[in-house]
Amino acid sequence: MRAQPQASHYVGGSYVESQSGTPFDSLYPATGEVIAQIRAADDAVIEAAIRSAQEGQKVWAATPAAERGRVLRRAAEILREKNRELSILETLDTGKPLQETLIADAASGADCLEYFGGLAATLTGEHIDLGGSFAYTKREPLGICFGIGAWNYPIQIACWKSAPALVCGNAMIFKPSEVTPLSALKLAEAFTEAGLPAGVFNVLQGFGDVGAKLVAHPAIAKVSLTGSVPTGAKVAALAGEHLKKTTLELGGKSPLIVFEDADIENAVSAAINANFYSTGQICSNGTRVFVHEAIKEAFVARLAERTAKAVMGDPLDEATNIGPLVSKQQLDKVLHYMQIGQDEGARLVCGGGSASVASFPDGYFVQPTVFADVKDDMRIAREEIFGPVLSVLDFTDEDDVIARANDTDFGLAAGVFTRDIQRAHRVIDQLQAGTCWINTYNLTPIEMPFGGYKKSGIGRENGHAAIDYYSQTKSVYVEMGGVEAAF
Ligand code: NAD
């Protein structure tokens, strides 16, 4: 097997196997070939991870913040040195083309470790003057944080959660998606090599039941999930029962609004990035593309012309820019929606079904698909598909398009294309979405907070904002005079 790790889990600074956990395979989505066999965590491994995280966290919280930062920055350098090897692993596990994984996965994870490593020594409290007496605040860690990953950006998600958690002095137990279990183990190796004390970052494998056990475990102080809205609701309910802090990064059905004065070529580029990058498996995708009626046909024609140039094929060939979907289950779901779109009466501009790729007869490939004349109430315009299915909807009026863009339970992201600067800001101000773009789409630099409004999530990752979700403030009142009492 070409990607078999030393063992399934990483606990206390080394690989550990579980004896009784459910076995499962990791598949290469381009061929269906088994690349690794993993065991889910059993209770013994879960308890060992908790114990090692408790011990590691004490040592780590007592480590000066500047030193914690240095460890994270060393880990960033290790990820960069190993970028090609890690990118190949991520391509094998997710099916995403190497052209993408080389720049967007371990590389963005390294940016994240570097950014939070740099913030480490700047995390301070406040001094509050109370007229003679004073108060001060300090940030303290929460304890053991539990990170749960989705399968679309496995190592990036592991970094986005662990870096802010660790820099604040927490330990993290991370459970990758059972669909993509491999790269988080490599992150754990990099942390150990960088000097992270044993137990501060542990990886446990498994399905939702392992996740739920850890969410409910009394030793876990905080849970951070990246996943779908239904899973988010389950995790929030269970965490709520135990009154745990939660960060939820969930799904979306985000609008991208293209006004009549937009640069059409740039807007088409953004629509492509917002729907076909990572074969459409990105939570913030702008899957509802509202295009002003005056330019709609020109936009659709150019989009179809450029989509025809997509290179689908061997994900390990750097010329390929569209790979397979991650799994058979995801393939079936996306094909189902492609059929629903046609049944609902949307105009199929291109794509619409599975794709056959020479030498990869068993791969989960689908055609990048564009529907035009999509109506707001169609299922393809309302439900998250998580595949390369782009819907073009028409509009003429600004207020009307804002209302329609907001008419969804989701609120993860939104984009606006216009050359009118006042309109751009006016529209963005009214869009109910946590992450917005003007004249671009889907760029998520680590410096910029990321997260959702409404059912798309709770809390923020990235940027300074993330620190608030991985630390707690202690306020200390210092009395400099006497103490008065009524009697
Ligand atoms: P999913 O919800 O099926 O699974 C996510 C993770 O939750 C997996 O690790 C899974 O094992 C775990 N899980 C499942 N049930 C659980 C439970 N009851 N308790 C604890 N853990 C449980 O999501 P997915 O299919 O892996 O990923 C796709 C979804 O993730 C999409 O909806 C997408 O929009 C979303 N996503 C969001 C972001 C974001 O940052 N907002 C990023 C990537 C993906």
Side-chain angles (χ1 to χ4, degrees), residues 70-344:
R70 278 193 282 274
V71 171
L72 262 69
R73 295 200 302 276
R74 277 199 292 273
E77 283 314 309
I78 294 166
L79 293 191
R80 289 201 178 108
E81 281 157 22
K82 297 188 173 164
N83 187 43
R84 179 159 284 271
E85 173 197 329
L86 295 170
S87 303
I88 291 171
L89 183 68
E90 206 73 307
T91 288
L92 290 174
D93 219 8
T94 61
K96 293 193 293 179
L98 189 58
Q99 186 192 87
E100 282 189 18
T101 52
L102 280 171
I103 57 166
D105 291 81
S108 70
D111 291 348
C112 172
L113 299 183
E114 182 179 64
Y115 173 79
F116 284 105
L119 277 192
T122 72
L123 301 177
T124 56
E126 284 181 289
H127 174 274
I128 302 153
D129 180 10
L130 299 173
S133 295
F134 66 94
Y136 66 90
T137 64
K138 61 194 290 257
R139 276 186 193 277
E140 294 191 348
L142 301 169
I144 308 177
C145 303
F146 177 42
I148 311 175
W151 43 255
N152 60 339
Y153 277 85
I155 198 167
Q156 184 195 73
I157 292 171
C159 289
W160 281 20
K161 296 192 187 305
S162 60
L166 266 45
V167 87
C168 291
N170 301 287
M172 171 159 276
I173 297 176
F174 185 79
K175 190 197 83 62
S177 164
E178 60 274 23
V179 182
T180 53
L182 303 178
S183 58
L185 295 166
K186 294 290 176 188
L187 175 62
E189 280 183 30
F191 276 137
T192 299
E193 199 183 327
L196 190 73
V200 180
F201 182 74
N202 297 312
V203 177
L204 292 179
Q205 307 288 353
F207 299 83
D209 60 329
V210 170
K213 268 186 197 167
L214 278 140
V215 171
H217 198 293
I220 298 290
K222 186 228 159 81
V223 179
S224 175
L225 164 81
T226 296
S228 61
V229 169
T231 303
K234 281 189 219 156
V235 166
L238 188 56
E241 213 176 290
H242 298 268
L243 284 176
K244 301 210 172 158
K245 294 169 178 57
T246 45
T247 297
L248 302 174
E249 292 291 352
L250 308 176
K253 191 76 196 175
S254 300
L256 168 58
I257 304 173
V258 183
F259 283 95
E260 68 279 19
D261 63 342
D263 177 316
I264 293 194
E265 206 55 24
N266 281 337
V268 168
S269 298
I272 288 171
N273 293 341
N275 284 275
F276 301 145
Y277 202 72
S278 294
T279 317
Q281 302 165 117
I282 298 184
C283 51
S284 51
N285 271 356
T287 45
R288 291 184 293 144
V289 184
F290 291 92
V291 185
H292 193 278
E293 220 170 62
I295 57 163
K296 181 195 72 176
E297 287 310 330
F299 180 93
V300 168
R302 190 66 186 125
L303 181 61
E305 206 171 71
R306 288 181 55 185
T307 301
K309 293 187 184 147
V311 181
M312 193 183 298
D314 180 355
L316 290 167
D317 178 344
E318 282 180 52
T320 296
N321 44 42
I322 299 211
L325 292 164
V326 77
S327 63
K328 173 77 169 62
Q329 193 189 355
Q330 197 62 16
L331 172 75
D332 292 341
K333 179 182 168 195
V334 172
L335 288 175
H336 183 56
Y337 275 105
M338 287 176 173
Q339 190 56 51
I340 289 174
Q342 292 170 68
D343 295 345
E344 285 179 316

Side-chain angles (χ1 to χ4, degrees), residues 29-48:
T31 59
E33 161 202 353
V34 176
I35 55 166
Q37 289 180 319
I38 304 290
R39 268 188 187 278
D42 56 18
D43 289 348
V45 170
I46 292 176
E47 288 309 321

